[in-house]
Amino acid sequence: MTHRTGRIATTLIGLAATLTLATPATATPTGAAPTGAGTGHSQHSGTVPLGTTPTTGGFRLVDPDRGGQRVLDGLNQTSGPGTLFTDTDNTWGNSTPAHRQTAAVDVHYGTAVTWDFYRAAFGRNGVRGDGVGTTSRVHHGTNLNNAYWNDSCACVTYGDGTGGRTPTSLDIVGHELAHGLTSSTAGLLYSGESGGLNEATSDILATAGEFFADNKIDVGDYLLGERVWPDQARRLDRPSADGVSPDHWSRDLANLPPHAASGPARHFYYLLAEGSGPKVINGVSYDSPTHDNSKLLGIGRDKATQIWYRALTVHMRPTTNYAGARTATLKAATELYGPTAPEVARVAAAWKAVNVG
Ligand code: ASN
Ligand code: ZN
């Protein structure tokens, strides 16, 4: 990674200060809609382009520009190969779950956004970095209200959900695919503190991908699953809002299941990106607390994301715990921005604010 030096002005409580810091040569561009010749009517994200492949008499839901990623209909079975989605006119779904293609549209779109996000932000070639597109299966089982990454096939399975809310929104797709990224890099074990970091990584990269997508219907937010589980969405600014996730680290964390144990790490990411206290972003209100009552300023989402990704892919190991994640992110920030950069101090301050270090 090369470094450039830039001068920026920051304003803190009316005081303008100019400081010099190193910025990475590659900033994260915000998203363009994925390209593709097909048109999909999604449930969660409006009308979206889809990458499809012509075949005799129609089209297959196989994206030639993204490693051949494809979507299968699981036919509401719990086993069996399923069938590849095909269509005669290249216009897919009707925005309601009654149409079998609609879930496939949301998943194919979210998977394309994630592919494009990984490439633009990290120069990464697909979930596992091998250029191979993900196979996804929708309509798995009956009323299954969840989605799962499966390491053995490097594929994702989605249920139909309940009450007409299919668990196929942009953030859920991004969350599952990030599990594939984690298992092909840090390999964080799915229990104890490393399990919490594994889950936090999926929420963090799903959030960054949702902002990248810049979708007008499902706008970027620091909430996970809000379109599908409005009462149980996970928050990054205030994890305890879900009633199960702690805002801050304690010794008890290692005994919690991974989704709850992710609380302090996703809170760290929010504080690093946006800072503490009240804030409104894309119409959503946040109010992030700190364990030490410190008032933090954020370094911006793009830098926070680069720091987390580098920490994950270069410095974390299967058994990395919260203290190890602190070290990994400090190393990553130092490598990206230089040892005396304010970003490094902000990383330390954000960990302290969630009671780590
Ligand atoms: N949707 C869940 C997740 O990826 C499935 C699970 O509990 N592992 O976190
Ligand atoms: Zn997960």
Side-chain angles (χ1 to χ4, degrees):
M1 173 68 72
T2 54
H3 295 94
R4 284 180 304 158
T5 304
R7 291 178 72 75
I8 64 152
T10 57
T11 307
L12 172 60
I13 323 168
L15 265 182
T18 306
L19 57 137
T20 303
L21 80 171
T23 50
T26 49
T28 311
T30 38
T35 53
T39 300
H41 299 290
S42 75
Q43 177 178 165
H44 299 295
S45 300
T47 301
V48 295
L50 298 175
T52 59
T53 304
T55 186
T56 314
F59 301 85
R60 305 188 305 150
L61 203 48
V62 177
D63 188 337
D65 298 324
R66 296 175 184 83
Q69 69 165 57
R70 60 198 185 126
V71 186
L72 309 177
D73 187 342
L75 305 169
N76 296 104
Q77 305 296 302
T78 53
S79 63
T83 57
L84 182 64
F85 278 95
T86 59
D87 185 75
T88 51
D89 65 0
N90 218 10
T91 298
W92 306 70
N94 72 353
S95 82
T96 78
H99 195 306
R100 286 195 87 74
Q101 291 178 347
T102 299
V105 169
D106 283 282
V107 167
H108 206 53
Y109 166 69
T111 307
V113 163
T114 303
W115 180 282
D116 291 0
F117 168 56
Y118 287 0
R119 179 178 294 285
F122 312 129
R124 186 176 184 83
N125 193 16
V127 167
R128 291 174 300 167
D130 59 2
V132 177
T134 302
T135 295
S136 302
R137 187 177 273 93
V138 296
H139 305 303
H140 180 83
T142 306
N143 298 333
L144 174 68
N145 197 8
N146 214 333
Y148 301 85
W149 168 264
N150 183 337
D151 251 340
S152 60
C153 54
C155 61
V156 189
T157 300
Y158 299 86
D160 284 338
T162 58
R165 295 174 187 267
T166 317
T168 51
S169 56
L170 208 39
D171 51 7
I172 293 174
V173 174
H175 176 106
E176 299 310 329
L177 292 169
H179 278 308
L181 195 165
T182 294
S183 65
S184 65
T185 56
L188 289 160
L189 295 170
Y190 203 69
S191 68
E193 290 197 16
S194 62
L197 296 170
N198 184 319
E199 269 302 317
T201 297
S202 277
D203 283 358
I204 288 166
L205 294 181
T207 294
E210 190 183 78
F211 276 101
F212 170 85
D214 203 21
N215 184 280
K216 299 291 174 265
I217 311 282
D218 186 1
V219 298
D221 55 53
Y222 289 92
L223 313 173
L224 221 293
E226 77 284 352
R227 293 189 63 87
V228 177
W229 311 298
D231 302 328
Q232 295 160 275
R234 288 195 292 278
R235 297 190 71 103
L236 279 70
D237 63 320
R238 202 158 26 85
S240 61
D242 68 9
V244 295
S245 304
D247 288 335
H248 308 115
W249 183 89
S250 76
R251 286 190 195 287
D252 302 335
L253 201 70
N255 301 319
L256 295 177
H259 293 92
S262 74
R266 57 186 139 98
H267 188 196
F268 158 80
Y269 171 80
Y270 178 88
L271 288 170
L272 183 63
E274 301 290 349
S276 58
K279 194 158 187 173
V280 179
I281 305 164
N282 285 346
V284 180
S285 297
Y286 303 94
D287 193 356
S288 198
T290 57
H291 186 257
D292 54 356
N293 288 319
S294 57
K295 302 263 183 289
L296 299 183
L297 287 175
I299 64 172
R301 189 173 47 252
D302 289 350
K303 286 180 178 177
T305 303
Q306 293 298 329
I307 289 168
W308 191 269
Y309 178 81
R310 184 170 176 85
L312 176 82
T313 55
V314 177
H315 299 300
M316 292 192 199
R317 300 285 174 260
T319 57
T320 296
N321 61 9
Y322 267 72
R326 176 179 180 278
T327 308
T329 50
L330 285 169
K331 274 188 196 153
T334 301
E335 290 157 355
L336 287 168
Y337 304 108
T340 60
E343 284 82 356
V344 178
R346 301 275 188 94
V347 167
W351 278 120
K352 189 161 186 298
V354 299
N355 200 28
V356 177

